[in-house]
Structures are given as structure tokens and as C-alpha cells.
């Protein structure tokens, strides 16, 4: 049966599948996926009869891990990434640099998420932001350049739903968690967040935390402006330890701002 509508799919590691969320939007013309989870993921995309596009909000390894599996499964799928960064997905040198950088930033989490594997350059399309894609059934997807978390960060608007990647914070157990690892471009991060708030989405899809109220963006902006990084969250077990390490990495850029 053809896929229809919006799907939020857990794409984190087996110890904590909800750590990362991949979104699938299906129209009668195209099916699109936003981000691609971690390499060591239990994500189940078997409900998809076809996949046409994967839009990468950015190329940090917890958002691109399953690309190798995806391009092997869906023979016609195209991967969209910010212009200038295709080489980090498709060349030996670029992939090596990406993995080394991830290991240096993430520490032990790098091994929890898994190493990224190179994909064929013919499957990757570079985008600038501003592109509009008709998925069919009235679903119009717009790509929006939102630097700050990373130079290569884009967000995605589908009608009145905004998918922020890591440009709008994370949300677990009622806590908004800044997504501000080093190197953080604070000014652009705040500028991008304010712009996204001005779009007045009805629903926000976070890469870490799922579908939430747009009020989360307002709370996250307040965190950034006040530099309030007192985030205390404990969900227990192995998942809690993974989340604790993730929070520590994400707060590091904001805490170290001068």
C-alpha cells in the first residue's frame, strides 16, 4: 500500500531509539525523508513502497548514518545537502574528515552512533536553500538555509509544519535542551531561530525530541539569550547515560562562549 501523510520514525541506536527522529512525508508525486538517523539504528522504513528524496538538515553523523542503507534499498532516491558539502558524503578524504571530526566532538558517543560510510556521488544533489518542491496532494516542501548550529544547516517547511534539524533545540521529558555543540556560530544560530519563529509554524518537528509545540522554539530562544544552560534531566538506564553525554556535548559550545 502506498505511503500517505506524515510519519515520525525513531532512528536512534537500539539503546535509545527515540534519541533521533526521522520524518517521512508522502505525497502522490514524491515521498521525502528528512535526515537519516544514526548508522547503528533500528529504524524501520519498510512501510515505504518508494523513496524519492532525502533532505539532510546537516551532515553531523547522527543525521546521515543510514544513507548507505537507504541508497542501496531505494534505487532512485536522491540525497539533498547544502551546497559545498557533497564531498563529505561522497569522497574518501571528505568522509574521513567527517568521521574524525565527529569522533573528536562526540567522544564515546561516536561509537554508539556508528561510523558514516561513503555513498555514490551520483546520488547527491547540492541545494542552496529557497528551493520549493511539490510532493503532491497539496504538500509543498520549502528548504530554508538556517546556519548557526553548522554552516551546512538547512531546515524544511512543509505547509505549516517546520522541521528544524538541530537549529531549534531538542526536547525530552519536558526539558528544552540547547543544540549548541562547538564550533557554535551564536549570532547566526539566534538569527536563524528568530526567523523560524517568525514563520509561525503550527507544529515543529525536532530531530531530537519528535513533534512538539512551537512554544519550544520560544523557550529555546530564551535559553540562548539569557545563556541559561542549567539543564538537569535524567531518564535513567543506558538511554539516560546516552542522553547525558549528548546534553554535555550540545551545551559545550554555549557554555564556552566568551
Amino acid at each position: 500500500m502506498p505511503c500517505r501523510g506524515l510519519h515520525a520514525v525513531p532512528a536512534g541506536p537500539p539503546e535509545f531509539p527515540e534519541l533521533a527522529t526521522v520524518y517521512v512525508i508522502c505525497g502522490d508525486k514524491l515521498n521525502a525523508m528528512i535526515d537519516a538517523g544514526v548508522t547503528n539504528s533500528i529504524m524501520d522504513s519498510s512501510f515505504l513502497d518508494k523513496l524519492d528524496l532525502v533532505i539532510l538538515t546537516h551532515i553531523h553523523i547522527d543525521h546521515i548514518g543510514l544513507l548507505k542503507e537507504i541508497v542501496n534499498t531505494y534505487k532512485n532516491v536522491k540525497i539533498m545537502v547544502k551546497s559545498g558539502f557533497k564531498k563529505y558524503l561522497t569522497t574518501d578524504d571528505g568522509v574521513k574528515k567527517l568521521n574524525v571530526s565527529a569522533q573528536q566532538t562526540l567522544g564515546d558517543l561516536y561509537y554508539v552512533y556508528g561510523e558514516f560510510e561513503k555513498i555514490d556521488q551520483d546520488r547527491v544533489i547540492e541545494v542552496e536553500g529557497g528551493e520549493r518542491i511539490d510532493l503532491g496532494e497539496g504538500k509543498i516542501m520549502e528548504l530554508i538555509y538556517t546556519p548557526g548550529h553548522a554552516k551546512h544547516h538547512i531546515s524544511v517547511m512543509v505547509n505549516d509544519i517546520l522541521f528544524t534539524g538541530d537549529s531549534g533545540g531538542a526536547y525530552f521529558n519536558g526539558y528544552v535542551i540547547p543544540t549548541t555543540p562547538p564550533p557554535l556560530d551564536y549570532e547566526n544560530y539566534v538569527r536563524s531561530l528568530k526567523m523560524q519563529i517568525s514563520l509561525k509554524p503550527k507544529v515543529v518537528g525536532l530531530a531530537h525530541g519528535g513533534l512538539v509545540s512551537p512554544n519550544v522554539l520560544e523557550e529555546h530562544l530564551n535559553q540562548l539569550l539569557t545563556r541559561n544552560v542549567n539543564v538537569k534531566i535524567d531518564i535513567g538506564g543506558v538511554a539516560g547515560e546516552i542522553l547525558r553525554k549528548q546534553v554535555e556535548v550540545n551545551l559545550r559550545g554555549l557554555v564556552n562562549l566568551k
Side-chain angles (χ1 to χ4, degrees):
M1 179 179 293
C3 169
R4 288 289 179 267
L6 168 65
H7 302 261
V9 185
E15 303 90 340
F16 189 11
E18 296 79 15
L19 177 67
T21 300
V22 159
Y23 297 97
V24 176
I25 304 100
C26 298
D28 59 3
K29 294 181 180 179
L30 299 171
N31 293 346
M33 179 181 288
I34 299 172
D35 284 333
V38 305
T39 302
N40 298 332
S41 177
I42 62 166
M43 185 183 84
D44 181 7
S45 63
S46 61
F47 66 94
L48 274 173
D49 59 318
K50 71 183 184 80
L51 183 61
D52 303 288
L53 301 172
V54 176
I55 297 90
L56 301 178
T57 61
H58 57 302
I59 60 170
H60 292 164
I61 65 165
D62 52 327
H63 295 255
I64 63 173
L66 289 174
L67 285 180
K68 184 76 169 182
E69 179 178 325
I70 288 168
V71 298
N72 286 340
T73 302
Y74 302 100
K75 300 304 181 182
N76 296 315
V77 69
K78 295 294 185 181
I79 313 301
M80 292 185 164
V81 67
K82 181 68 178 71
S83 59
F85 294 90
K86 175 178 178 176
K87 62 185 178 183
Y88 294 103
L89 305 176
T90 62
T91 68
D92 290 334
D93 186 56
V95 168
K96 180 179 179 180
K97 287 179 179 177
L98 185 149
N99 279 310
V100 167
S101 176
Q103 186 175 7
Q104 291 172 344
T105 300
L106 294 171
D108 291 346
L109 285 178
Y110 174 77
Y111 302 101
V112 175
Y113 296 162
E115 181 179 82
F116 174 71
E117 295 185 43
K118 183 178 71 171
I119 60 174
D120 182 20
Q121 63 179 350
D122 292 338
R123 307 299 288 274
V124 182
I125 300 170
E126 292 193 329
V127 296
E128 296 293 341
E131 292 86 354
R132 291 170 62 86
I133 302 164
D134 183 4
L135 303 181
E137 297 180 331
K139 299 179 178 72
I140 303 299
M141 173 179 285
E142 182 176 359
L143 310 186
I144 307 166
Y145 183 43
T146 49
H149 177 84
K151 293 179 181 179
H152 38 80
H153 200 290
I154 59 177
S155 298
V156 181
M157 192 87 173
V158 181
N159 297 356
D160 54 7
I161 304 177
L162 175 64
F163 302 93
T164 59
D166 279 352
S167 64
Y171 189 79
F172 291 100
N173 275 29
Y175 288 89
V176 181
I177 303 167
T179 41
T180 53
L184 172 66
D185 183 343
Y186 176 80
E187 297 299 330
N188 268 326
Y189 193 114
V190 170
R191 188 176 298 112
S192 293
L193 183 56
K194 287 181 176 179
M195 182 273 294
Q196 291 179 92
I197 291 171
S198 75
L199 297 175
K200 300 187 183 303
K202 289 187 177 179
V203 179
V204 173
L206 303 177
H208 304 289
L211 294 165
V212 300
S213 163
N215 292 337
V216 168
L217 299 184
E218 297 277 4
E219 187 171 343
H220 183 37
L221 178 60
N222 183 63
Q223 284 179 323
L224 292 169
L225 296 178
T226 62
R227 308 287 179 89
N228 179 9
V229 294
N230 185 26
V231 177
K232 295 181 179 180
I233 180 171
D234 184 7
I235 62 174
V238 176
E241 181 62 14
I242 292 172
L243 183 57
R244 183 193 66 77
K245 291 179 179 180
Q246 179 78 14
V247 170
E248 190 277 327
V249 168
N250 273 288
L251 292 182
R252 201 180 297 152
L254 192 58
V255 168
N256 292 338
L257 278 178
K258 296 180 179 180

